[in-house]
């Protein structure tokens, strides 16, 4: 499982980090850099976020960020992961995360031991895509449309609806509305109503 493998990789860095006091050593190893980011204060995260984001390249590093955010092992890890991924200027970083989600999310969600983790994982990715201001909004909207097929419960549906509202004022609003309308017929009345409220909010913003 991705979550188990990635968590193991993260945990294995603790011994290495304890043995080094060199800032250069941390910055040469993205895993150590990300670990330092999640164990730093909110103020320190804000100061270092743009630098750390530049080191998020391969899928292993992306999954490490998502795992830290979803695992609950770091204080305010959810927001920390969203803010860090949203700082990327590399579309491929988010695209690779979407591909990984397509592969592993169904498996993780079907397993009771990783179900909650998988939902947080997808929530973080969804919100980060919506907020990744350095990437073209319509490209980000395409990624959100890609995630739509994975949505299978109230938590992830509400997260995607929120993301579509966030991105609606800078992307193709008609496509945003089309995606939202898919939720209006949801058998979950809460999600159906939530989607209708989102559409109304967008319409009011256009008025």
């Amino acid at each position: 499982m991705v979550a188990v493998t990635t968590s193991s990789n993260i945990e294995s860095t603790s011994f290495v980090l304890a043995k080094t006091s060199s800032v250069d050593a941390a910055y040469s190893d993205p895993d150590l850099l990300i670990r330092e980011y999640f164990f730093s204060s909110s103020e320190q995260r804000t100061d270092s976020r743009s630098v750390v984001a530049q080191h998020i390249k391969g899928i292993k590093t992306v999954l490490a960020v998502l795992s830290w955010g979803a695992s609950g092992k770091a204080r305010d890890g959810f927001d920390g992961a969203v803010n860090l991924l949203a700082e990327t200027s590399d579309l491929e970083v988010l695209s690779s995360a979407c591909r990984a989600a397509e592969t592993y999310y169904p498996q993780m969600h079907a397993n009771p031991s990783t179900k909650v983790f998988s939902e947080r994982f997808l929530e973080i990715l969804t919100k980060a895509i919506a907020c990744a201001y350095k990437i073209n909004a319509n490209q980000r909207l395409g990624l959100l449309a890609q995630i739509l097929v994975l949505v299978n419960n109230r938590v992830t549906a509400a997260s995607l609806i929120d993301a579509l509202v966030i991105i609606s004022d800078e992307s193709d609003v008609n496509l945003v509305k089309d995606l939202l309308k898919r939720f209006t017929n949801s058998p979950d009345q809460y999600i159906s109503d939530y989607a209708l409220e989102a559409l109304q909010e967008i319409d009011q913003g256009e008025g």
Side-chain angles (χ1 to χ4, degrees), residues 82-94:
V82 168
N83 293 334
L84 181 55
L85 289 177
E87 193 68 27
T88 185
S89 59
D90 188 349
L91 177 63
E92 181 55 29
V93 166
L94 299 180

Side-chain angles (χ1 to χ4, degrees), residues 57-78:
K57 299 295 184 182
I59 186 60
K60 177 185 174 183
T61 315
V62 176
L63 290 176
V65 174
L66 290 167
S67 292
W68 273 111
S71 68
K73 292 182 178 180
R75 188 176 66 178
D76 299 323
F78 185 102

Side-chain angles (χ1 to χ4, degrees), residues 94-156:
L94 299 180
S95 296
S96 63
C98 286
R99 292 193 294 270
E102 289 177 330
T103 300
Y104 297 110
Y105 174 79
Q107 301 172 31
M108 292 191 294
H109 197 263
N111 186 335
S113 67
T114 53
K115 181 178 180 180
V116 173
F117 175 94
S118 71
E119 291 175 357
R120 290 176 181 162
F121 181 103
L122 199 61
E123 278 187 277
I124 291 167
L125 177 57
T126 300
K127 188 172 182 180
I129 290 171
C131 297
Y133 64 98
K134 295 180 181 179
I135 297 175
N136 177 273
N138 284 321
Q139 291 178 314
R140 287 182 278 138
L141 181 56
L143 295 181
L144 293 179
Q146 188 176 329
I147 287 176
L148 179 63
V149 299
L150 299 176
V151 170
N152 58 355
N153 57 78
R154 179 178 291 185
V155 172
T156 52

